[in-house]
Amino acid sequence: MATAHLPACFVDVHVLQSVPVSTLNRDDLNAVKTVDYGGVRRTRVSSQSWKRALREEFQKEIGQYATRTRRIGKAVADVLKEKHGWGHQEARRAGAHVVAASGIKFAIEGKPDQEDYEAITNGLVYLSSESIEELAALAAEHPDKIKKKKIEKATDKSQLPAAEIQEIIRRGNAVIHTFGRMLAEVDGADVDGAVQVAHAFTTHRSDVQVDYFTAVDDLTAAWGETGSGHLNEAEFSAGTFYRFATIDLRELIANMGKVHTSQGPRDASEDARNIAGAFLSAFIRSLPQAKKNSTAPHTAPDLVHISVRSDRPLSFAAAFETPVRFAQGGGHGAASRDQLVAYARTATTLMGSNRILSAHWAGTGQDIEGLGARVDSFDALVEAGVGAAFAPLGSGA
């Protein structure tokens, strides 16, 4: 599919989701993250936090995986041991050779004859799972070069083919070409992400509360003694969150056109539609997993709206600059929905309704006007949005 046949530029996805007692995202002091917006304090979940949960869900949806790590050497060594039958020490040496040949700055921990010997990059490196496998296979082709020289310090040079190693690192897959990658030390490895994810925040004022908790020492209790074996405090909050993300379809198709595997280039047009659908589905269904065992906040979204735009992304976050007031009978969900719909109508009029190529929604509400056509499920919503985004010009879709 050529880019010229793609009428859309962006697919926007808006989510309202009520989350009960939870601690989805914490700061360096272990406190719930917040933001002041519209003169009141809101609970916030950073885009980095939600993107990690989103990325993990996306990888399962799309069936491709990527790893962000400083320990490329260990990853390569593990593959050499598991799939190539190498011993522990020689595999670790091979991993150090791969890192030294990559052109990425690194440091050595331990000595080549020690268990903890490892070359660790100075910064995190984002690699596709396929690239790690290919790096191990390349190292396995040069056992003599690896045995001949030990990498004992950051200035040591590897005799492995640096150009081939850097070419493998330069490759990406659907995950990297969707979310992007910063890797300045390898020429041509940087990838501008095709998706943008906003910080989530509650549509209303949300006070952080402190939970004082204790844990009983079972043996002490059995012996008839009183008192706790542990006590502590933890913060939590609850509320209705507004979430927003967008996909730049032209950027996505351009990125996927750069994808090459060991079997050759991939078909960008075939991949882009599947990736867009997987991303939308993953965004709708993802939830950060912090404190999940003690809060289990596994709710479904109350409302999801997907629009396909020909001009630019349009967030509805400003709908909640004036905080939502709870309804007479309690609750912020319905009031948040009404406030979002009212703002969406106004914003669409101001920006031009002709810029919207398609709009659909799904959720718990009834007879919502201003968000396009209703569909019965989130799967159907994603299908409708992706179908409209990739409809050829003049198809009438």
Side-chain angles (χ1 to χ4, degrees), residues 29 33 125 131 137 147 150 155 169 183 197 212 320 340 371:
L29 300 177
K33 287 190 176 181
V125 181
S131 291
K147 291 177 181 178
K150 298 177 182 178
T155 55
I169 291 173
L183 185 53
V197 180
Y212 171 82
F320 308 110
L340 181 143
L371 299 183

Side-chain angles (χ1 to χ4, degrees), residues 16-20 239 241 243 284-287 296-302:
L16 288 177
Q17 184 167 0
S18 295
V19 181
F241 287 85
R243 305 197 277 122
I284 292 168
R285 299 176 188 280
S286 61
L287 190 72
H298 304 298
T299 59
D302 307 311

Side-chain angles (χ1 to χ4, degrees), residues 340-379:
L340 181 143
V341 172
Y343 180 85
R345 290 173 182 161
T346 301
T348 297
T349 300
L350 290 171
M351 297 293 289
S353 58
N354 61 320
R355 312 296 176 89
I356 299 177
L357 303 178
S358 170
H360 298 82
W361 67 274
T364 58
Q366 301 290 330
D367 302 325
I368 297 175
E369 295 183 6
L371 299 183
R374 181 181 184 178
V375 294
D376 293 331
S377 69
F378 295 142
D379 287 341

Side-chain angles (χ1 to χ4, degrees), residues 72 97-106 121 162 165-166 169 185-186:
I72 301 172
H97 271 269
V98 168
V99 173
S102 70
I104 301 170
K105 293 180 181 179
F106 69 97
T121 59
I165 286 174
Q166 291 175 19
I169 291 173
E185 291 176 279
V186 178

Side-chain angles (χ1 to χ4, degrees), residues 27-73:
D27 63 18
D28 58 329
L29 300 177
N30 212 32
V32 171
K33 287 190 176 181
T34 60
V35 61
D36 287 330
Y37 186 46
V40 300
R41 183 65 54 89
R42 324 287 184 97
T43 299
R44 175 176 64 91
V45 180
S46 71
S47 57
Q48 294 90 335
S49 173
W50 216 300
K51 276 177 75 173
R52 178 168 177 80
L54 162 61
R55 193 166 55 243
E56 290 176 345
E57 189 72 26
F58 173 80
Q59 291 182 145
K60 291 187 288 186
E61 289 268 353
I62 206 68
Q64 296 184 42
Y65 296 84
T67 300
R68 177 180 284 114
T69 184
R70 296 176 59 202
R71 308 181 71 184
I72 301 172

Side-chain angles (χ1 to χ4, degrees), residues 36-290:
D36 287 330
Y37 186 46
V40 300
R41 183 65 54 89
R42 324 287 184 97
T43 299
R44 175 176 64 91
V45 180
S46 71
S47 57
Q48 294 90 335
S49 173
W50 216 300
K51 276 177 75 173
R52 178 168 177 80
L54 162 61
R55 193 166 55 243
E56 290 176 345
E57 189 72 26
F58 173 80
Q59 291 182 145
K60 291 187 288 186
E61 289 268 353
I62 206 68
Q64 296 184 42
Y65 296 84
T67 300
R68 177 180 284 114
T69 184
R70 296 176 59 202
R71 308 181 71 184
I72 301 172
K74 182 180 185 305
V76 169
D78 288 347
V79 175
L80 285 169
K81 288 188 290 184
E82 293 168 9
K83 298 190 175 181
H84 297 269
W86 284 40
H88 177 80
Q89 291 302 331
E90 61 182 352
R92 285 297 180 97
R93 289 185 187 181
H97 271 269
V98 168
V99 173
S102 70
I104 301 170
K105 293 180 181 179
F106 69 97
I108 292 293
E109 290 190 359
K111 296 293 183 181
D113 57 349
Q114 295 177 347
E115 285 292 314
D116 64 348
Y117 171 68
E118 188 174 351
I120 298 180
T121 59
N122 290 0
L124 290 166
V125 181
Y126 204 25
L127 292 178
S128 70
S129 297
E130 300 93 329
S131 291
I132 294 172
E133 298 273 349
E134 291 172 24
L135 288 171
L138 178 60
E141 296 175 2
H142 302 277
D144 294 340
K145 292 180 180 179
I146 292 167
K147 291 177 181 178
K148 184 177 179 180
K149 179 180 177 62
K150 298 177 182 178
I151 305 296
E152 298 185 281
K153 53 187 182 294
T155 55
D156 286 347
K157 303 296 183 182
S158 172
Q159 294 182 345
L160 293 181
E164 292 181 45
I165 286 174
Q166 291 175 19
E167 176 57 31
I168 292 172
I169 291 173
R170 198 174 289 119
R171 295 172 190 159
N173 63 3
V175 183
I176 290 171
H177 286 87
T178 299
F179 289 91
R181 174 173 64 190
M182 175 74 73
L183 185 53
E185 291 176 279
V186 178
D187 290 342
D190 282 355
V191 178
D192 290 331
V195 299
Q196 302 166 32
V197 180
H199 290 240
F201 63 92
T202 52
T203 63
H204 51 87
R205 175 176 176 170
S206 178
D207 294 326
V208 174
Q209 300 182 46
V210 176
D211 178 31
Y212 171 82
F213 64 91
T214 65
V216 174
D217 185 317
D218 291 335
L219 289 181
T220 299
W223 295 333
E225 299 180 20
T226 59
S228 66
H230 174 79
L231 57 87
N232 207 337
E233 293 179 347
E235 290 189 355
F236 68 87
S237 66
T240 298
F241 287 85
Y242 172 71
R243 305 197 277 122
F244 172 75
T246 188
I247 314 171
D248 184 336
L249 295 179
R250 297 181 188 275
E251 188 76 49
L252 177 61
I253 289 177
N255 283 352
M256 293 311 298
K258 303 171 187 174
V259 173
H260 288 68
T261 69
S262 57
Q263 288 77 42
R266 294 182 66 91
D267 184 345
S269 62
E270 179 182 344
D271 283 344
R273 180 181 181 123
N274 293 334
I275 290 168
F279 176 83
L280 292 171
S281 180
F283 184 73
I284 292 168
R285 299 176 188 280
S286 61
L287 190 72
Q289 299 295 291

